[in-house]
């Protein structure tokens, strides 16, 4: 997606350890126009699938997921990383190792929001080693819901996430694919969605 690639070139910053900082438009300050365009692009790509729910993980997946859900006219559910006192119903839970925080945490969604009737589009801001997306797939599978696609805003293709998810039989669509972050430079893959 050209608009996203341009923005990463202009405002993305490479940190050590293969991490891209996009806190001025995705992960802290959020550009609503760009998020809308991203969400609508996902909705367009998955328009024919019959998606009934969009599932993401807090916090940075919420903005693109919400716009995709709005365009698909379905609810958006975000998995929580910390259990809230108000979550008193039965929960779907999975363990996720965080690439950026380097800790394992439990993610959860109330069981009442997902069922075997659902066809799910999973959305997240980054794909690195695939642990966040895999955890979201596991939550859906616990509910008997079918995952019909995974939409990723920024894929770091030099990490193992895509392989892991494709081995699970998942369709992965990324709007920007980064081939390398070596030497402080962002190098893109051709053929983005
Ligand atoms: P994974 O679970 O695929 O290893 O990592 C994905 C999660 O880690 C995303 O939800 C995102 O929050 C975070 N993440 C992974 N790589 C990066 C990165 O390069 N930059 C930022 N800002 N977050 C990242």
């Amino acid at each position: 997606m050209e608009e996203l690639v341009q923005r990463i070139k202009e405002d993305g910053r490479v940190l050590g350890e293969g991490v891209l900082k996009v806190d001025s438009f995705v992960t802290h300050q959020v550009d609503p126009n760009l998020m809308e365009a991203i969400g609508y692009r996902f909705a367009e790509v998955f328009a024919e699938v019959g998606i009934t729910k969009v599932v993401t993980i807090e916090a940075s997946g919420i903005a693109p997921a919400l716009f995709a859900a709005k365009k698909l006219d379905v609810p958006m559910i975000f998995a929580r990383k910390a259990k809230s006192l108000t979550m008193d119903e039965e929960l779907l839970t999975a363990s996720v190792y965080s690439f950026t925080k380097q800790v394992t945490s439990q993610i959860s969604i109330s069981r009442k929001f997902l069922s075997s009737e659902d066809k799910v589009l999973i959305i997240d801001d980054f794909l690195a080693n695939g642990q966040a997306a895999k955890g979201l797939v596991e939550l859906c599978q616990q509910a008997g819901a079918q995952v019909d696609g995974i939409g990723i805003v920024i894929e770091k293709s030099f990490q193992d996430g895509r392989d892991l998810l494709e081995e699970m039989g998942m369709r992965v669509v990324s709007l920007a694919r980064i081939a390398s972050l070596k030497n402080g430079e962002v190098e893109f893959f051709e053929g983005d969605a």
Side-chain angles (χ1 to χ4, degrees):
M1 185 184 180
E2 193 48 38
E3 192 182 346
L4 173 63
V5 168
Q6 277 310 322
R7 191 65 181 271
I8 294 169
K9 284 180 183 168
E10 280 161 28
D11 293 333
R13 205 155 61 76
V14 179
L15 302 184
E17 313 285 320
V19 174
L20 179 68
K21 191 164 175 166
V22 288
D23 66 344
S24 63
F25 58 107
V26 181
T27 60
H28 195 10
Q29 175 173 267
V30 179
D31 180 335
N33 292 319
L34 181 63
M35 291 304 127
E36 182 178 55
I38 285 169
Y40 285 14
R41 179 80 188 113
F42 285 133
E44 202 173 76
V45 171
F46 292 98
E48 307 305 322
V49 183
I51 296 297
T52 63
K53 303 271 166 72
V54 175
V55 169
T56 188
I57 181 165
E58 65 178 350
S60 302
I62 292 176
L66 185 61
F67 282 112
K70 179 171 166 52
K71 193 72 173 172
L72 290 165
D73 197 20
V74 299
M76 183 276 287
I77 307 163
F78 63 91
R80 289 179 179 264
K81 288 177 177 163
K83 194 175 178 302
S84 154
L85 277 178
T86 60
M87 288 175 89
D88 54 353
E89 301 94 355
E90 202 186 335
L91 298 177
L92 308 162
T93 59
S95 292
V96 170
Y97 177 77
S98 163
F99 175 75
T100 44
K101 301 200 180 81
Q102 306 199 332
V103 291
T104 299
S105 61
Q106 290 286 113
I107 62 165
S108 52
I109 288 178
S110 286
R111 186 174 281 277
K112 67 180 178 190
F113 293 129
L114 280 175
S115 79
S116 56
E117 312 279 286
D118 282 315
K119 290 168 69 63
V120 174
L121 169 60
I122 288 173
I123 287 184
D124 202 7
D125 60 339
F126 271 93
L127 178 61
N129 293 318
Q131 295 305 302
K134 177 168 166 272
L136 292 174
V137 171
E138 286 168 3
L139 296 184
C140 295
Q141 288 174 340
Q142 283 170 31
Q146 183 177 317
V147 179
D148 285 298
I150 299 178
I152 298 292
V153 179
I154 303 172
E155 173 185 324
K156 294 187 296 179
S157 305
F158 55 89
Q159 293 182 259
D160 297 333
R162 175 178 283 272
D163 286 347
L164 178 85
L165 299 176
E166 286 182 345
E167 275 163 23
M168 292 170 74
M170 296 295 146
R171 177 180 172 203
V172 181
V173 174
S174 304
L175 300 189
R177 297 186 67 189
I178 293 175
S180 157
L181 292 175
K182 285 200 187 116
N183 305 319
E185 300 278 329
V186 185
E187 201 181 295
F188 291 90
F189 248 101
E190 296 306 313
D192 303 321

